[in-house]
Each structure stands twice: as structure tokens, then as C-alpha cells.
Amino acid sequence: MIEFDEAAARAVEAMYLTPDVVGQRARVIEMLSPRPGERILDIGVGPGLLAHDLARMVGDTGRVVGLDAAPAMLKMARTRLAALPQAECVEGDAARLDFADASFDAVVSTQVYEYVAPIARALSELHRVLKPGGRAVILDTDWRSIVWHSSDEARMGRVLSCWDGHLADPHLPATLGPSLRRAGFTVARVEIVPMFSAHWQPVSYAGGIMRSIRSYVQANGAKVGLGGDEVQAWYDDQLRLAERGEFFFSVNRYAFVATR
Ligand SMILES: C[S@@+](CC[C@H](N)C(=O)[O-])C[C@H]1O[C@@H](n2cnc3c(N)ncnc32)[C@H](O)[C@@H]1O
């Protein structure tokens, strides 16, 4: 799986400041509907961009707790949230939450559960810490939904199959509804949030994920017979397609609104 060290933290932050992911955050906030005075938990707080918006919305009578397993991510989130006393960040694991039962009005987790192997346990923990009637919004990618034009489809397939290994479950959304129901939730709504570039834009989710995939597959491709030259050729092909106006990228994230 991927290691969320300082370099990864900077890459995630840059990608999550692109218009695609800014738009995603706006939709997640609309689905969560935070209200002043509420206690909200952000599981896998990452760079703290969502927690920052939530902290401003719950105001100084509310509380936002950002939890993350990676010290580099926590450092970045704490810096971002430093001026907001209603926000705090804690180190922890999504599968073992160190909070009392029914201690949050709402919980949000975007692009995190796909990294968590004991998913049933993580969802049961999420259910436990929510107040009865509380809301959860969970968003993850299903990498099977990808449509990405390439001059060499077979090589694209090998690169993406290696990239699947950066997650515990690259197809989590397809089974998340039943998993949430088994954990005791009612699933109220599921929506697609596409990351979509019909033409090349360097400052976009597609541009950022291309760089992340290149570095992950360069480090891990040997195990599946992918050499560094082949990975670079895959990357250069995308830049050539971009120059010719033939770049096309689309992948879906799926947002689940559930209630306890
Ligand atoms: C792709 S980032 C998403 C960050 C943030 N939720 C966002 O959407 O901006 C994934 C985050 O999940 C965290 N993470 C992964 N597995 C975790 C676990 N088991 N418990 C807590 N955090 C975890 C990583 O450290 C990283 O910060």
C-alpha cells in the first residue's frame, strides 16, 4: 500500500486543491449538512482541507476532530487548522477509534476506507461513535470505473493493475452499501462524483494522479514485470496525447450518505 510520508502529503494536498477536488468537497459538505454547534469527526483527515471548511461551519460552539494514521498528514492538517480552536487533530486508526460511544453528530471520511483492510470493523467503529440519528458521509473511488485513453491499451492495463495495489480495496464502493447496512446503518443516498478531464489540464486531478501513479508504479512495478522505462513510456504517451489534443481521463468516486 502507499505510504503517506511528507512527499505523499504534499502530492495529496496539491491534488486536493485542484478545481475537481474543490468541487468534490463542496458536494460532500452539502451531503453532510454541518450545522453550528455540532461535533463532527473527519476520519483520515489528510491535509485538513475538508476539516478546515467544517470547522468554520460548526463555529466556535462546535467541534471538529480530524483523525489520521500518518504523522506527516497530521502535521499538515494541524498547521492548516491552527487558527481554529474548535478543531483538533489526533493520531489513530479508522479500525480502532479511541472515542466514547455516540460522541459525534456526524462523521465524514473521504478517500480513506479504500485503504482500510478490516472494513467491517472500521464501519462498526464508525457506527459506535455516531449518536443515534447521526449522519455519515463516505466517499471512495472504484478504479474499475476508469476510462483513460492510451496509445497502448495493454500497457495501460498493466500500469492500472499495479496501481490497484496501492489500496486495500480498489473496488470498495461496489460493496459499501451492503457493508454499511450490515454495520447497522440506513443508506439514504448514493451519488457519483466524477473526476473528469476531456482535455489536458496540468492543474487537475488527472494531472496529479498521473504523477502519483508514475511514482507508485516505478517503485512497485518490478513485482508484476513492469520496468521503470515502460512506466516512463506510459507517462510520456499521455503527454504526447495531451499535445495532440487527444487526452481523455475519467474515474468515478461514489459518495454514500448513511444514518445511524
Ligand atoms: C487520499 S488521503 C485522503 C485525505 C482526506 N480525507 C481528503 O479527502 O482530503 C487518505 C488519508 O487516509 C489516511 N489513512 C489511511 N488509512 C488509515 C487508517 N487506517 N486510519 C486512519 N487514517 C488512515 C492516510 O494517512 C491519508 O491521510
Side-chain angles (χ1 to χ4, degrees), residues 138-184:
I138 301 171
L139 173 141
D140 284 283
T141 303
D142 191 328
W143 284 94
R144 245 179 330 221
S145 66
I146 196 158
V147 180
W148 198 349
H149 179 52
S150 163
S151 310
D152 184 336
E153 291 296 330
R155 182 178 60 202
M156 174 64 89
R158 287 195 297 280
V159 167
L160 290 178
S161 142
C162 177
W163 173 244
D164 275 353
H166 90 287
L167 295 165
D169 184 353
H171 312 303
L172 179 68
T175 54
L176 190 56
S179 299
L180 281 164
R181 286 191 284 274
R182 273 195 295 275

Side-chain angles (χ1 to χ4, degrees), residues 38 40 45 48 50-56 58-66 77-78 80-90:
E38 285 193 321
I40 299 184
V45 65
L50 178 59
H52 184 271
D53 291 351
L54 294 175
R56 292 177 61 141
V58 299
D60 51 14
T61 58
R63 190 105 195 120
V64 170
V65 180
R78 284 187 177 123
R80 176 158 280 116
L81 296 167
L84 294 165
Q86 68 271 40
E88 69 170 313
C89 289
V90 298

Side-chain angles (χ1 to χ4, degrees), residues 4 12 16 44-47 67-70 73 92-94 110-112 115-116:
F4 288 99
V12 169
Y16 285 20
V45 65
L67 172 136
D68 207 286
M73 284 297 194
D93 182 347
T110 60
Q111 291 292 121
V112 178
Y115 294 95
V116 179

Side-chain angles (χ1 to χ4, degrees), residues 16 29 31 70 85-86 88 115 143 169 188 197 224 247 249 254:
Y16 285 20
I29 288 171
M31 291 171 108
Q86 68 271 40
E88 69 170 313
Y115 294 95
W143 284 94
D169 184 353
S197 294
V224 292
F247 184 84
F249 172 95
Y254 296 83

Side-chain angles (χ1 to χ4, degrees), residues 39 99-105 127-132 260:
R39 278 180 60 82
F99 304 109
D101 296 357
S103 46
F104 292 97
D105 299 292
H127 188 266
R128 182 183 65 75
V129 302
L130 256 187
K131 292 180 185 171
R260 178 179 166 173

Side-chain angles (χ1 to χ4, degrees), residues 15-53:
M15 217 181 324
Y16 285 20
L17 284 166
T18 61
D20 312 83
V21 189
V22 170
Q24 170 195 299
R25 263 196 303 286
R27 287 188 68 186
V28 165
I29 288 171
E30 182 257 316
M31 291 171 108
L32 193 68
S33 307
R35 296 187 276 269
E38 285 193 321
R39 278 180 60 82
I40 299 184
L41 173 64
D42 182 353
I43 297 178
V45 65
L49 293 157
L50 178 59
H52 184 271
D53 291 351

